[in-house]
Amino acid sequence: MTGIHISPARATDHADWLAMRVALWPGGLDDEHGADIEAYDEDAQSPICLIARNGAGVALGFAEAALRHDYVNGCKTSPVAFLEGIYVRPDTRGRGVARKLVAAVEAWAAGLGCTEFASDAALDNVQSHAMHKALGFTETQRVVYFRKSVKA
Ligand SMILES: CC(C)(COP(=O)(O)OP(=O)(O)OC[C@H]1O[C@@H](n2cnc3c(N)ncnc32)[C@H](O)[C@@H]1OP(=O)(O)O)[C@@H](O)C(=O)NCCC(=O)NCCS
């Protein structure tokens, strides 16, 4: 697809960002998504949100990324640039929007001196696995999280 423009999220992007965030993470409350977006500092080095738009200004997708200073599975350096989330509108998938978003995140990571760029995906999200492999990521580990309530 030609005419895909990637730029850091600004206040004018918040409504589109919120709608796409809810589509990507429907389990979260709209209020929580809204609070996360309001807390976002567009001048900070990390985290970042990049918005993809077409030539007509229609929002096509977004990517969120952050520097992770804690241990990142499969990585050897710190901090690691981490792809926290990526979403492309269903009707524009398969046209290179995610490829452009990931390239922009990688450029951001390189600019901060990172030598590793990591990500994750649910075990059953095979489309995301395919995308990551197509975009140059290699699979490192498969993990299952657990939790248990603790009585105070
Ligand atoms: C995964 C997702 C972001 C891909 O976005 P996209 O814009 O369609 O991806 P692109 O068109 O840029 O494709 C990039 C590469 O990944 C591959 N790819 C993307 N989706 C794929 C799929 N469903 N099956 C196989 N390969 C796929 C493409 O073939 C392409 O490689 P190529 O250029 O060598 O052909 C999009 O399907 C999406 O938003 N899914 C729902 C949200 C989600 O699962 N996000 C990831 C959470 S970890």
Side-chain angles (χ1 to χ4, degrees), residues 4 23-25 60-62 83-90 92-102 119-122 125-136:
I4 304 168
L24 175 60
W25 293 307
L60 307 176
F62 78 100
L83 186 65
E84 304 288 351
I86 185 163
Y87 173 83
V88 174
R89 262 180 36 181
T92 47
R93 287 179 190 165
R95 299 185 199 172
V97 177
R99 180 176 282 282
K100 278 209 161 198
L101 282 165
V102 169
S119 181
D120 60 7
N125 193 347
V126 292
Q127 295 185 342
S128 176
H129 302 175
M131 178 206 73
H132 281 88
K133 285 171 189 163
L135 297 183

Side-chain angles (χ1 to χ4, degrees), residues 59-127:
L60 307 176
F62 78 100
E64 294 184 24
L67 287 181
R68 284 201 182 182
H69 294 266
D70 51 342
Y71 172 68
V72 174
N73 296 58
C75 291
K76 297 186 173 117
T77 61
S78 182
V80 166
F82 201 90
L83 186 65
E84 304 288 351
I86 185 163
Y87 173 83
V88 174
R89 262 180 36 181
D91 59 350
T92 47
R93 287 179 190 165
R95 299 185 199 172
V97 177
R99 180 176 282 282
K100 278 209 161 198
L101 282 165
V102 169
V105 173
E106 190 167 343
W108 161 81
L112 293 180
C114 292
T115 56
E116 289 182 294
F117 179 17
S119 181
D120 60 7
L123 288 173
D124 61 355
N125 193 347
V126 292
Q127 295 185 342

